[in-house]
Amino acid sequence: MVNHFDPASDVAAASPCAKTCRLVGDTCGTCFRTLSEIGVWSTASRDEKRAINARIKKRRAQARTKAA
């Protein structure tokens, strides 16, 4: 069975918080959200949360590239 990720699903709007904050500048080094993204999360719409998670995905990929 192939598992396809649906960016419109509720999973795509799930909180990335791991409850282990580690600030690196203005970004959490654990969940990769900026302080402003963390601040608006609780009031953000599902679409806004999806957009934040899409940016987080790019930041994680960039961090992996730098670490390699």
Side-chain angles (χ1 to χ4, degrees):
M1 180 174 141
V2 177
N3 193 6
H4 294 284
F5 178 73
D6 178 7
S9 71
D10 286 337
V11 172
S15 175
C17 183
K19 296 182 177 35
T20 310
C21 299
R22 184 175 48 92
L23 286 180
V24 179
D26 74 334
T27 303
C28 176
T30 305
C31 75
F32 289 90
R33 288 184 292 175
T34 65
L35 289 175
S36 62
E37 290 168 340
I38 292 167
V40 301
W41 187 265
S42 64
T43 59
S45 70
R46 191 179 313 166
D47 287 340
E48 291 168 324
K49 290 176 180 179
R50 287 183 192 125
I52 291 169
N53 280 335
R55 290 191 298 269
I56 289 168
K57 185 176 178 180
K58 290 178 185 177
R59 288 183 200 128
R60 280 191 180 122
Q62 289 172 345
R64 280 189 218 117
T65 301
K66 287 179 184 178

